[in-house]
Amino acid sequence: MASESHTQDEIEDIVESNAEHGDSLTQRLASPLDRMAAFVADLIVFMPVMAVGMAPFRRQALLAQIMNHEGEWMFALASAVGVGVLSTVLYQTAFVALWGSTPGKRMLGLKVVSIWGDERPRWISAFIRSVTWCLEAALLGLPWLAVFGNERRRPLHDRAADTVVITLSRRRAAGPPGVPEMSLASGAYAAVLACVAILTVTLLAHMKAENGSSARVIAGMEEQGLLCKAVGEAKEEWLSGVGAEHPTRLAIAMALFGSEAIDESCLEEEADFAIWREQNRSLAYLAKGLTKDPEDKMRATYFDKACAQDPIGDACKLIRFIGLNEESGAEVTSPEEKAEQAGIENEIESIVEYARNGGPVYLRVWSVKSLMASREFGRVLDMTSDASPHRLLGYFFARERAKALWGIDRKAEARVALRSSIENVDTVRRVELASWFCAAETADGSCGEEARWACDLLTTAVEKEEQWLASEEVAASYVRGSFCRSEADPKMLTKMSEKISHKDGRLFVEALEDLRVDRRAAAVAVLKSIGREADDLGPFYFEAKAKLVDLATTSEDLEAIRAEWVNSEPSDGWTLLGTRLMTKLQSFQSWERSLEVGLKLVEADRFNRQLLRSIVVSSYRAGHRQMALGFLQNIAHLDQAVNSRAPASQNEFDDVILELSKTAAGGKR
Amino acid sequence: MIFPFLSGLMSPLRAPITYFLIAVNLFVFAVTFKAYTRADGKMDEILADDEIMTTQGAAFAVMIKRENAKSAGQFSKTLTELARQALGGESEAKRVLGSLALRNREFASLAETYDFGGDEVAIETWRKKFRELLTLQESHPSFQWGITQRHESWLNWFTYQFAHSGWAHLFWNMIFLVIFGVFVEGSLGGGAVILTYLGGGLAGALAFSILSGISSSPLVGASAAISGLMGLVTVAFWRSKLKFFYWLLPVRGYHGFVWLPAWVVMIVYAVPDVSGYLASAPEMGSIAYSAHLGGTVFGALIALIFFRDQSPALKTLKAEPVDV
């Protein structure tokens, strides 16, 4: 460009004069400290003014933040930054182009001049200078360090605009930087860059860790069914279903909660949603009450409120039902109490009947649960004969149906039902069901083909994800199931003891190990110590006792276990132990004792056909012939009721039948 | 950093009115301190209860929805949106509304007997706590001395100027009071100090009630009164150079005293009040920028009416020895 308007000589003249001019500028360079101080002074003067321009956007950002409107928040923030940058550029450009310095520089006696002629920069270079300055500011002001390193103390913005900052007071002039100062500047660069790099890496690592953990938390919540998505899905399935029933969202949530498909916090969200919109108030109060601890006074207050809203409504019926179930089964002594119990049973009966015939689905869920608890399996079958419109509820009804079938010895049907309901469920429910299934199949100590199928399902799931073993029930099933697959395999035992974290579980495996190497006394000692410290008797306690029963060599060995068993509360583990105890006592021909155990099981409603057969044997051998005949009739009645053929007979039972028929025939004669 | 030094700290004998005002402020703080901490602690306990606050938020949401339906625009857009979210089941929105509820004029005046419907069991528990909160407020000095919708008598418009809500609040206000008070008293007389202090305080409360609206969170502090003194100094000595302390860098020669025109006070203190006011939402915020601005404007008006261009007064002040 220069060659178009100047001759070679002229250009040489200009370069020469510029060199001289440059030298004179170099003598008047502003000191870096003055420039820093000028920057701080500018901040003090300009920041308040800039803040006024940014204020409306800051307000907008604040409001967007509390309303959780992310897009609006980003926009407001970007606008505030935009206003900040624009006003900075305007401030710097105007002051530099009009007066040669910003107020801060003026206070410190500094001036921005063009390197071409010691004069005020033109508007365009003042503008370029300011824009570059802002870009440097975005890099945390790192390029500004050039005031220490550049030979004419010109950071990028001065070089881009062909300017230099000089001081008006020759006394304060800095001159070009010396070698030590330049080295210091390079050192500072390196240090700051290193710090920034370390900070960035730490920040990234932190963010990654945080992301990971939040993803884990969400996944965990989904896994545990904590998120209320389930309710929305169920509602959709319901609406698309063919049934005439169209329950409300809250009614579905209640049914899902009753069937343990969603948890309390999810139900509470649903209840709050309805209650504050004045929908389903009675049911919403009931749901709120259910989310409170049974000990909490608020639970009763919420229940009262629900019934006050609608005393004859379904919600109030369920509250009554829950209350009745808590009261029923209490010890009765006096005739009044007996009458009262009968009244309670009747009322429960009528609510169950209502639930079966058109009552809301949640009432049906609770009815099934209540019937299962009182072991009225036949009626559970009655209640669960329809297919449910929803996957999770369908699973619940199918599962309870299968368990009920098992309870009345229709094991083949139960297996079919269980196998089909286990197919399409998530891992949580699959493990839960497989655990129950495996425990049920191996309860009598048998380990057939069927048992293996169920236990294999469990061990496969557990070996993939060991977290399931945190549940003691699952761990106990797993131990039994593993044994079923490969009895006393040393490798299997080591693997198990590594996996099980529960104290009683570890002790139990230790005992199994002792037994494997024939240290019987040690094993018995360990087995006896299991569950001694626990408040309630866990599954491993019963496993240990059942093992001790198996190991007993005389009926005296069983006496302590029997005495403890008689005084414990009935549970699944208790039933298992009782059955084993009875069988073992029979093998020692301790007929009276075994009959006592059998009668206790019957009293607790924990009997099946096999147990009744054992009782027939025991009572007959103990000399109670009438009793044996009575139970025999019961078996016939039971067979008729469940409408199935009796399985293959046991030898002892067949002997007793034979003897009974002989004596009966002899009597006639 | 830049800080007005003006005439420094004068002897109490030469600025008796200013030191008297400071003494009153300190005295009020001293006698109310114990009641203040006790009531504050108990109130914080209630406000920290998540269940109470979410219930309060849900209740507020119901009120917003219902009152808006009666007459549209009763509540701000933000509150209306938050109410929509809260009733849609978002618990975070409930929490936010719960904390905003107590600052809201309508809520505070209606809540005690309002029929919210909703979860009446939770409301019952919340109402008990809410009444407890109101009782605590009655014994809380900030409520007794400050201006709230329950304490809006003419007396409170004066007492609020002498009450402070904490050590830092008191400390900074007293620093500015002594700097500006003694300067005004030395140059314009004690009458100007007392007139501007009390008048600035009243104007501040008036501006606050118009621009931000008096709510159930109390307005306390001498800030508006002191802003009046600042406004007075700025306008009365607009072009005169006043003494400031400045600090630019921790290097010798970059901090010390400097003489700058009085309008610098405006830039450093009044302009941030404007941006603070514009940036804060009426629903929240703990600094009453609008009250500051009211005080400043009052002081400036006093200067325009009674004390136009007071440079000569400055000379008499400068001629006297300065106590530091």
Side-chain angles (χ1 to χ4, degrees), chain A residues 555-597:
Chain A
S555 64
E556 281 71 45
D557 289 348
L558 298 175
E559 204 35 47
I561 300 171
R562 196 193 59 83
E564 214 173 302
W565 177 84
V566 167
N567 293 317
S568 320
E569 284 293 309
S571 67
D572 286 346
W574 180 85
T575 313
L576 166 108
L577 179 57
T579 317
R580 295 268 190 102
L581 206 51
M582 190 177 177
T583 316
K584 192 75 179 183
L585 283 165
Q586 283 183 328
S587 75
F588 291 140
Q589 306 206 332
S590 182
W591 305 114
E592 277 294 348
R593 288 272 186 240
S594 81
L595 179 61
E596 206 180 305
V597 172

Side-chain angles (χ1 to χ4, degrees), chain B residues 111-186:
Chain B
E112 220 180 326
T113 51
Y114 199 84
D115 176 22
F116 294 104
D119 184 343
E120 281 163 18
V121 177
I123 283 282
E124 205 45 54
T125 319
W126 164 79
R127 227 189 274 274
K128 261 185 228 150
K129 289 282 173 189
F130 185 69
R131 294 216 173 98
E132 209 174 294
L133 204 65
L134 293 183
T135 325
L136 281 173
Q137 285 183 355
E138 290 305 315
S139 67
H140 193 297
S142 283
F143 288 81
Q144 287 172 336
W145 291 72
I147 303 177
T148 65
Q149 63 193 88
R150 278 166 181 264
H151 301 90
E152 227 182 327
S153 79
W154 64 270
L155 199 63
N156 285 86
W157 284 57
F158 288 97
T159 53
Y160 100 93
Q161 305 179 19
F162 299 94
H164 288 87
S165 66
W167 288 102
H169 190 202
L170 177 80
F171 177 78
W172 286 109
N173 272 352
M174 290 308 105
I175 292 283
F176 283 103
L177 177 55
V178 76
I179 294 282
F180 285 92
V182 298
F183 179 75
V184 171
E185 198 164 350

